[in-house]
Amino acid sequence: MSSPTTPSSRERILGRVRAALDGAPDIPPPARGYLAAHTADDPAALLDLLHENLADYRAKVHRRTEAGLPSLVERLLREHGAGSVSVPPGLPAVWLSRTTVEQRHDRGGRVPAGAVRDETLTPYELDATDAVVTGCALAIAETGTIVLDGGPGQGRRSLTLVPDLHICVVRAADQIVASVPRALPRLDPSRPLTWISGPSATSDIELDRVEGVHGPRTLHVVLLVDAEGGGDGRGGERG
């Protein structure tokens, strides 16, 4: 134990460090010329890479034009036996124009004629909802990641975490970036960002993969392309 006149062990160690550094030249700042991306800035290449990495994460991937999107959404909801779908504020009504399942609208967006609800879904109602259809803020090709920020057509975070089926639409023309460094400047850190790389899964217990623990068990990603940009591309669907 040190006395007022005897330096403590901490003070002796720090004193030696200061003495050793006294007069030493300043250390130059480290070079940070990191690559912002490892992929060529080519829209077609980014689209293919995103498609490949999404499928590698066990997402079901589809390529459709704007005109073909409503039919695809209707088919996916029907094939999964969905009887209800949550609809975030600002979702284009045409995306769900072909489906007959119950549309449960969350408060804050325009509700198309004939819609069932215009209120905030309670936790119990959301838990009883089979699916959700959303857009996204952007998608990252190198990591196969979809980013939601709660903007129009995305809704609050719980809308995409509770239902067992998530259908997410990515506009290939302006929402695909190559890498995380390219994504960050386009995102607002004050918004509720959700980063999604494939369907929810964990292997925490005995390394057995279990899906649907922290979010949707099934993720369908629709890459929205124009008619001249490759159409359905690599066979249209992978997953």
Side-chain angles (χ1 to χ4, degrees):
M1 184 173 180
S2 63
S3 67
T5 58
T6 305
S8 65
S9 297
R10 177 178 181 275
E11 291 170 338
R12 288 197 297 269
I13 292 172
L14 292 178
R16 291 172 184 170
V17 172
R18 293 189 192 98
L21 294 177
D22 186 36
D26 293 336
I27 300 175
R32 300 191 185 277
Y34 307 130
L35 288 176
H38 297 81
T39 308
D41 192 17
D42 173 61
L46 293 179
L47 178 63
D48 287 343
L49 181 61
L50 175 64
H51 193 143
E52 179 180 351
N53 286 333
L54 284 168
D56 190 51
Y57 274 118
R58 301 191 186 184
K60 313 296 182 182
V61 189
H62 316 262
R63 297 194 193 189
R64 286 294 185 277
T65 62
E66 191 88 42
L69 178 59
S71 296
L72 174 64
V73 171
E74 184 278 330
R75 177 172 67 82
L76 295 178
L77 291 173
R78 173 168 40 84
E79 289 179 349
H80 284 277
S84 57
V85 57
S86 59
V87 183
L91 189 80
V94 68
W95 291 4
L96 294 170
S97 61
R98 297 289 297 272
T99 184
T100 58
V101 304
E102 178 188 356
Q103 297 181 29
R104 299 181 174 180
H105 288 260
D106 209 46
R107 179 181 297 170
R110 295 181 178 178
V111 181
V116 176
R117 296 173 178 270
D118 186 15
E119 62 186 27
T120 300
L121 297 175
T122 68
Y124 296 102
E125 290 171 328
L126 196 53
D127 185 53
T129 302
D130 298 316
V132 60
V133 177
T134 74
C136 70
L138 53 79
I140 304 172
E142 291 182 356
T143 60
T145 303
I146 305 295
V147 184
L148 310 181
D149 67 357
Q154 300 168 59
R156 53 196 174 106
R157 180 172 289 162
S158 58
L159 289 182
T160 54
L161 293 180
V162 179
D164 206 42
L165 168 64
H166 182 190
I167 301 172
C168 185
V169 179
V170 179
R171 296 185 181 277
D174 59 2
Q175 289 189 319
I176 300 178
V177 298
S179 63
V180 172
R182 294 277 172 82
L184 292 177
R186 294 181 53 172
L187 297 170
D188 182 352
S190 67
R191 297 191 64 83
L193 301 177
T194 303
W195 300 62
I196 303 171
S197 297
S200 170
T202 181
S203 300
D204 290 345
I205 301 176
E206 296 184 354
L207 298 181
D208 289 333
R209 180 182 173 94
V210 179
E211 297 181 346
V213 177
H214 310 112
R217 190 186 316 271
T218 304
L219 173 65
H220 286 269
V221 178
V222 184
L223 304 176
L224 209 57
V225 298
D226 56 55
E228 297 180 356
D232 286 349
R234 310 158 77 123
E237 302 180 11
R238 286 177 55 188

